[in-house]
Amino acid sequence: MINLSKEKNVMPVLDPQLRIQTFDEVALGYTLEQAQDEAKRCLDCKHKPCVNGCPVGIDIPRFIQKVIEGDIEEAYQIISESSLLPSVCGRVCPQETQCEALCVRVNKGESVAIGNLERFVADYHYEHQKIESTKIIPNQIKIAVIGSGPAGLSAANDLSKMGYSVDIFEALHTPGGVLTYGIPAFRLPKDIVQREVDMLKSQGVQIHTNVIIGQTIYIDELFENGYKAVFLGTGAGLPKFLGIPGEMLNGVYSANEFLTRINLMKAYEKISETPIQLAKRVAVIGGGNVALDAARAAKRLGAETVYIIYRRSMKELPARLEEVHHAIEEGIIFKMQMNAKEIIGNEFGFVGKIRCVDMILGEPDESGRARPIEDINSNHIIEVDSVIMAIGTTPNPLIIQSNPDLNATRQGCIITLGDSGETSKEMVYAGGDVVTGSATVILAMGAGKKAAMAIDQKIRSL
Amino acid sequence: MFLITDKQNLTPTVSLLKIKAPDVTRHAKPGQFVMLRVEENGERIPLTIAEANQTDGTISVIFQVVGATTKKLSLLKKDDYLLDFAGPMGKPAKLDGLKKVCVIGGGVGCAIAYPIAKALFDKNTIVHTIIGFRTKDLVFLENEFKQISEKSFLVTDDGSYQNQGRVTDILKDLLEKKETYDEVYAIGPLPMMKYVSELTKKYQIKTIVSMNPVMVDGTGMCGGCRVSVGNEMKFACVDGPEFDGHLVNFDEAIMRNKMYESFESKKYQEVCNTLKEESK
């Protein structure tokens, strides 16, 4: 029988007043009963529109039916056919613009909570199932994967299941890419990332940390060392700054630096030797997930006032809806249609104020969103001790610099041939943010998957 | 984990560590650096490569105890391990096509200046060296510099050894006596590099400095190490660490290096207190 409720089963969350004092996960997940009750809202459509909204094409109605039947392990196996990181994607995907946007129940009420169900299934699986290594028939062909973010992990997973001997090379000291240094624990607990990495290792994938491609080792050397193909999943890690006066002041961070200090280096823990500024008033420039992560992390470090400064309106915020709600509950102040023009220092060389102007929303631009135009007659001075720039990132130029034969766009994104991930360099494939510029975890995973298939086909054809 | 194959105390506060890291040695060149982490919960710190030995696959780093992490590093012995060690990072020094160069080192900066001077010497460049220390006890690499220099000078701030004064006093003297150089290399504390650059600007001698800002990842993903060079924002870890000294905004860099001063002195005190407790 179908659950006719127009609304999703609400996911239990930590109380906002309590959670802003910790980095513990905010959303607590469904119980089995809540999940089954929610699963019954699925109409099990024959034409499955939701599947088209999922970048990796998970058979959503089929896994949801298994949840109703109480066969959670089977549900997990169905998801695993298409996705490597369900406990991650269930948490961080912007479902409202993907699978859930196409759910027929949106016509009269809320969509089925597909993301919450995916997360439930993955968490349940890990709680009840011991990690078992899948039977793999090795083919002795070596493939190198550069970068251990979602794209690299996904490519490595698929290639190793096909029998390839996969080595991942990671520049930082901990694998996971943005899952480790970018997304804070209150949204994605780090043990979840760890167990996905452990699963890969149990499959025989080797992860080499502290290896920087283009510095420690070069792509051409990998081929000399017997690798038959290389997958580049190096992401878009180079932060942008606005280019306004005062960006060199103490207390101005890129979101990447701020979040790396917190997430990777654990600067919020007393035992950590990595310092971080404990500001009382913080302005975060930008409106994406990274901006919200930085703002909410600043709050948890003890900031009393945290502003999000964004050029457009609430309606255009690119961040996930759920995170915007969480941020509002946590007391983050949204200053919309505003742009930072200047950061003003105090006598100690630290940030003292930020000067902003109002933005008027004009006609839609190429992106289809209203073009923000500066109101030069307006002027706002906001007193802050810290400014965090979360206005986007571009791919790191190291890879292109060390491989002039890799074609790239002016922004430094690697150019690939269609969906396959094939680059201009022979047997080198690329996918994820290094190709698209900063996008989502699931798109990066999808790209890793497609490249793995293309690499396999190419090697078989040789 | 990375094995420490040798440890030498060069002065009471400056030590040399030799670390087994064949992957790092393979492409390491003078002017480049490594990022290391001593232990879990430790921070990542940058240290310049003093020597890359291809034969035994080791990297030597020379560092001074200035805070918690370098204190812990100084306590490690031969056969101990470092948790993380990554590199080589940054751009190599550009040392080709130079006929005569003056290399200036200040304090622990001499450890970085020496491999540059040595590499120049090996390319048959005429090398003059000026090295400066606060006091006699802190002098190191004196003979090494002497052996590769056509002219070499050593100064101490307090005059307790050799010439009394600053490295700029010697440089000024040389330049006034019509000594000419294709380039001056200055590596040491920011104020020293600033004064050298101000002096050489008057004589229009190209001057290279090695910047030492706060770093986190060392691969260009955070911009914590940004410096203003000719009014452009540069990341020292990928665009540097060497820059044209006449274009660097030193006052800003000096201010930025003070960002975590109070946190750092507190952590240093904590480490020292723990050590005292343990030795009781």
Side-chain angles (χ1 to χ4, degrees):
Chain A
M1 76 256 75
I2 287 157
N3 174 351
L4 289 171
S5 165
K6 286 195 167 65
E7 278 139 32
K8 291 176 184 175
N9 259 344
V10 179
M11 171 91 86
V13 291
L14 282 182
D15 176 77
Q17 289 313 311
L18 293 176
R19 75 190 188 221
I20 57 170
Q21 295 166 36
T22 76
F23 277 78
D24 292 349
E25 190 172 21
V26 168
L28 299 171
Y30 282 154
T31 60
L32 176 61
E33 292 70 33
Q34 286 167 328
Q36 285 184 310
D37 189 50
E38 177 64 28
K40 286 176 190 157
R41 293 185 61 234
C42 175
L43 302 178
D44 199 12
C45 308
K46 284 274 165 315
H47 62 305
K48 304 182 180 188
C50 52
V51 177
N52 295 325
C54 173
V56 295
I58 295 173
D59 192 338
I60 293 160
R62 195 151 68 89
F63 99 73
I64 289 183
Q65 289 312 305
K66 290 293 165 194
V67 174
I68 298 173
E69 289 166 25
D71 190 352
I72 311 301
E73 187 49 32
E74 185 54 28
Y76 177 79
Q77 294 306 331
I78 293 167
I79 298 174
S80 295
E81 288 166 13
S82 316
S83 171
L84 165 68
L85 307 169
S87 48
V88 173
C89 294
R91 284 173 166 83
V92 305
C93 270
Q95 289 102 4
E96 66 267 23
T97 61
Q98 298 179 343
C99 55
E100 293 183 14
L102 300 180
C103 174
V104 295
R105 298 219 46 173
V106 171
N107 300 333
K108 280 182 185 174
E110 288 185 337
S111 70
V112 174
I114 301 167
N116 291 354
L117 288 173
E118 180 188 23
R119 168 191 160 144
F120 165 79
V121 167
D123 287 355
Y124 190 96
H125 161 82
Y126 276 108
E127 265 167 48
H128 295 84
Q129 207 75 22
K130 283 222 173 79
I131 295 181
E132 270 177 57
S133 48
T134 7
K135 282 239 166 63
I136 292 170
I137 306 146
N139 65 12
Q140 315 293 337
I141 300 173
K142 277 167 51 170
I143 294 179
V145 169
I146 318 298
S148 65
L153 292 178
S154 161
N157 178 50
D158 283 14
L159 288 164
S160 97
K161 281 187 173 149
M162 293 171 195
Y164 293 97
S165 161
V166 181
D167 285 274
I168 299 182
F169 297 94
E170 165 59 46
L172 291 175
H173 57 260
T174 312
V178 77
L179 307 177
T180 297
Y181 75 75
I183 304 174
F186 55 79
R187 214 149 68 78
L188 180 64
K190 297 305 143 203
D191 52 344
I192 288 178
V193 183
Q194 187 58 47
R195 78 190 179 196
E196 303 291 0
V197 170
D198 287 344
M199 192 185 70
L200 268 189
K201 283 186 185 165
S202 75
Q203 242 164 259
V205 173
Q206 300 235 30
I207 302 181
H208 308 268
T209 52
N210 295 314
V211 180
I212 309 143
I213 296 298
Q215 300 269 64
T216 314
I217 197 164
Y218 289 75
I219 292 176
D220 292 335
E221 281 177 288
L222 291 169
F223 289 116
E224 287 162 25
N225 294 345
Y227 291 94
K228 288 284 172 274
V230 173
F231 174 74
L232 293 171
T234 45
L238 196 77
K240 285 188 207 164
F241 285 84
L242 277 174
I244 58 173
E247 284 182 316
M248 298 300 285
L249 287 163
N250 287 341
V252 180
Y253 286 99
S254 73
N256 262 11
E257 178 182 0
F258 188 72
L259 291 171
T260 299
R261 285 177 182 273
I262 290 173
N263 301 329
L264 177 70
M265 306 310 297
K266 302 276 179 284
Y268 59 90
E269 287 178 1
K270 209 184 163 293
I271 193 169
S272 171
E273 278 170 13
T274 301
I276 194 154
Q277 186 198 16
L278 301 174
K280 286 284 161 232
R281 297 159 302 181
V282 180
V284 181
I285 317 292
N289 287 316
V290 175
L292 264 71
D293 285 346
R296 297 172 68 198
K299 192 87 188 176
R300 283 159 172 78
L301 284 176
E304 284 154 14
T305 319
V306 181
Y307 304 101
I308 290 271
I309 295 175
Y310 180 59
R311 297 187 304 159
R312 295 182 168 96
S313 71
M314 289 301 277
K315 201 170 76 219
E316 284 100 3
L317 276 177
R320 284 191 66 201
L321 210 55
E322 187 187 348
E323 308 310 328
V324 175
H325 289 320
H326 286 162
I328 292 169
E329 286 173 356
E330 289 165 15
I332 308 291
I333 301 163
F334 286 76
K335 290 209 173 266
M336 297 292 99
Q337 288 180 241
M338 229 183 228
N339 201 22
K341 294 300 285 179
E342 182 184 4
I343 306 165
I344 302 157
N346 63 20
E347 68 263 45
F348 308 109
F350 276 75
V351 173
K353 299 168 184 147
I354 184 165
R355 185 170 71 80
C356 301
V357 291
D358 288 326
M359 302 298 273
I360 304 157
L361 293 185
E363 293 297 304
D365 61 13
E366 316 82 69
S367 72
R369 300 181 300 175
R371 183 194 300 276
I373 304 156
E374 265 177 28
D375 176 2
I376 47 166
N377 296 316
S378 60
N379 208 15
H380 301 276
I381 304 276
I382 307 168
E383 301 215 357
V384 287
D385 323 299
S386 183
V387 177
I388 301 168
M389 296 289 172
I391 50 171
T393 53
T394 55
N396 194 312
L398 271 178
I399 304 279
I400 306 294
Q401 279 169 13
S402 58
N403 292 282
D405 48 350
L406 268 179
N407 288 344
T409 66
R410 236 169 358 110
Q411 288 76 33
C413 295
I414 294 177
I415 297 167
T416 57
L417 204 70
D419 259 4
S420 68
E422 198 180 326
T423 70
S424 53
K425 197 173 164 83
E426 213 185 328
M427 292 314 286
V428 176
Y429 290 72
D433 286 3
V434 74
V435 172
T436 58
S438 45
T440 61
V441 170
I442 189 79
L443 285 172
M445 281 180 40
K449 209 174 175 59
K450 281 172 189 152
M453 256 154 59
I455 289 170
D456 180 52
Q457 273 173 12
K458 180 80 182 183
I459 288 178
R460 283 166 186 279
S461 74
L462 292 176
Chain B
M1 301 286 273
F2 297 82
L3 178 72
I4 295 170
T5 61
D6 193 18
K7 155 90 184 281
Q8 292 166 33
N9 293 325
L10 304 179
T11 78
T13 56
V14 176
S15 306
L16 176 147
L17 286 182
K18 226 177 198 196
I19 296 130
K20 187 94 178 163
D23 289 342
V24 183
T25 58
R26 208 169 296 127
H27 299 291
K29 294 192 180 68
Q32 290 188 298
F33 65 97
V34 293
M35 295 292 305
L36 63 84
R37 207 159 68 108
V38 177
E39 57 190 12
E40 207 60 52
N41 300 314
E43 62 177 336
R44 293 167 66 94
I45 61 160
L47 286 176
T48 304
I49 296 168
E51 195 196 347
N53 188 326
Q54 304 295 346
T55 336
D56 64 3
T58 61
I59 293 278
S60 298
V61 291
I62 296 176
F63 63 95
Q64 185 171 21
V65 176
V66 290
T69 300
T70 41
K71 181 76 198 173
K72 284 187 177 173
L73 199 58
S74 74
L75 297 174
L76 297 177
K77 300 179 295 289
K78 184 177 185 291
D79 297 331
D80 285 342
Y81 286 87
L82 289 176
L83 182 58
D84 294 297
F85 193 82
M89 287 162 171
K91 289 204 161 75
K94 290 193 194 84
L95 304 173
D96 288 329
L98 299 169
K99 286 195 192 71
K100 191 171 166 192
V101 175
C102 182
V103 179
I104 306 175
V108 74
C110 293
I112 311 166
Y114 176 70
I116 304 275
K118 172 80 163 56
L120 285 165
F121 173 79
D122 290 342
K123 288 177 191 288
N124 295 321
T125 309
I126 298 169
V127 180
H128 290 183
T129 57
I130 311 171
I131 54 177
F133 302 92
R134 272 211 326 277
T135 183
K136 187 182 175 183
D137 289 349
L138 305 177
V139 173
F140 69 101
L141 293 179
E142 183 189 0
N143 283 328
E144 284 84 347
F145 272 102
K146 232 181 227 165
Q147 278 165 16
I148 54 162
S149 308
E150 192 201 55
K151 285 185 185 171
S152 68
F153 304 88
L154 193 158
V155 294
T156 46
D157 288 3
D158 61 0
S160 53
Y161 185 59
Q162 302 266 13
N163 309 285
Q164 192 272 322
R166 308 274 173 150
V167 290
T168 36
D169 297 335
I170 304 279
L171 180 65
K172 190 161 180 251
D173 201 41
L174 288 166
L175 296 175
E176 275 172 1
K177 287 176 182 156
K178 306 281 182 241
E179 193 73 79
T180 58
Y181 299 106
D182 294 345
E183 251 178 42
V184 167
Y185 246 95
I187 303 168
L190 288 168
M192 177 276 235
M193 295 194 286
K194 176 187 168 182
Y195 294 132
V196 168
S197 300
E198 281 173 0
L199 178 60
T200 56
K201 198 166 186 176
K202 285 186 207 145
Y203 290 85
Q204 294 178 326
I205 301 171
K206 187 176 178 188
T207 298
I208 306 293
V209 296
S210 180
M211 297 302 282
N212 49 6
V214 171
M215 286 189 189
V216 184
D217 60 289
T219 63
M221 63 168 264
C222 86
C225 66
R226 58 196 189 273
V227 288
S228 296
V229 182
N231 290 322
E232 266 185 73
M233 185 191 283
K234 297 280 181 189
F235 291 1
C237 70
V238 285
D239 299 319
E242 294 186 354
F243 294 105
D244 182 338
H246 297 159
L247 298 178
V248 169
N249 185 335
F250 283 104
D251 292 334
E252 184 187 87
I254 290 169
M255 185 195 79
R256 283 185 62 78
N257 269 15
K258 292 184 180 149
M259 169 97 189
Y260 299 108
E261 238 173 19
S262 60
F263 177 95
E264 282 162 359
S265 58
K266 207 178 104 208
K267 275 280 167 192
Y268 183 48
Q269 210 48 54
E270 272 174 33
V271 172
C272 293
N273 289 344
T274 325
L275 290 172
K276 259 186 221 153
E277 283 298 313
E278 280 169 8
S279 66
K280 263 181 197 167

